[in-house]
Amino acid sequence: MQVNIRCKPAYAVAYCVLENGEDLIVERGAMAAMSTGIEVGAAVGSVGKAVKRKVLGNEGLVFAKYSAQKDGAWIAVAPSFPGDVGEIEVTPSNAVLVETGAVLAHAQSVVLDTKITGLGTLLLKEGVSMLKLAGSGSALVGTYG
């Protein structure tokens, strides 16, 4: 997947250009536009992790799955609030924690889970949990502030 982020920094949109057969998992409400040559479906993943994300992080149970049917097909994703979009490269040795609600999209090879962070983040008004990105591939997050 090739990512081109435009309209930075206040109203960023990430254009994700896919190869034939490549999938992109997109958070509910983040898809802004798409080209022809994209097949739309749903992705649940592990039901246990989905329920945990919903209860602890108020994340969706089901994500949209966009599959490229030809080289060069693209999906544009954007946050629902004004702000920038960042691309994070997740590797097996580099799991990443992000705020709940920040993930816009990720490669199918990235695993999204919830991590309980404890009292420290609760006192900082960040909540009791964060999203953990593991596996390998790109993830797009919305940033603000």
Side-chain angles (χ1 to χ4, degrees):
M1 171 173 61
Q2 179 185 4
V3 177
N4 301 309
I5 301 173
R6 298 184 187 160
C7 304
K8 293 172 75 72
Y11 297 96
V13 177
Y15 289 86
C16 305
V17 182
L18 306 175
E19 295 178 11
N20 187 18
E22 192 173 14
D23 298 326
L24 182 67
I25 309 300
V26 179
E27 177 66 43
R28 172 183 73 232
M31 197 279 287
M34 68 180 180
S35 71
T36 59
I38 296 287
E39 183 177 290
V40 181
V44 178
S46 163
V47 175
K49 285 183 182 182
V51 170
K52 188 171 137 184
R53 282 193 315 267
K54 180 67 174 173
V55 172
L56 294 175
N58 199 25
E59 295 287 319
L61 288 171
V62 178
F63 295 97
K65 178 180 175 181
Y66 296 92
S67 302
Q69 303 301 301
K70 64 179 185 177
D71 287 339
W74 56 266
I75 306 289
V77 296
S80 58
F81 49 84
D84 209 347
V85 173
E87 181 180 12
I88 298 172
E89 193 62 36
V90 180
T91 64
S93 62
N94 182 34
V96 179
L97 295 176
V98 298
E99 279 295 318
T100 57
V103 175
L104 300 173
H106 58 85
Q108 184 149 5
S109 55
V110 172
V111 178
L112 188 62
D113 197 4
T114 306
K115 177 165 176 53
I116 296 175
T117 53
L119 188 58
T121 55
L122 183 62
L123 293 174
L124 293 170
K125 299 189 190 278
E126 300 295 333
V128 71
S129 66
M130 296 183 84
L131 293 176
K132 179 180 177 182
L133 302 168
S136 63
S138 291
L140 298 168
V141 295
T143 62
Y144 180 79

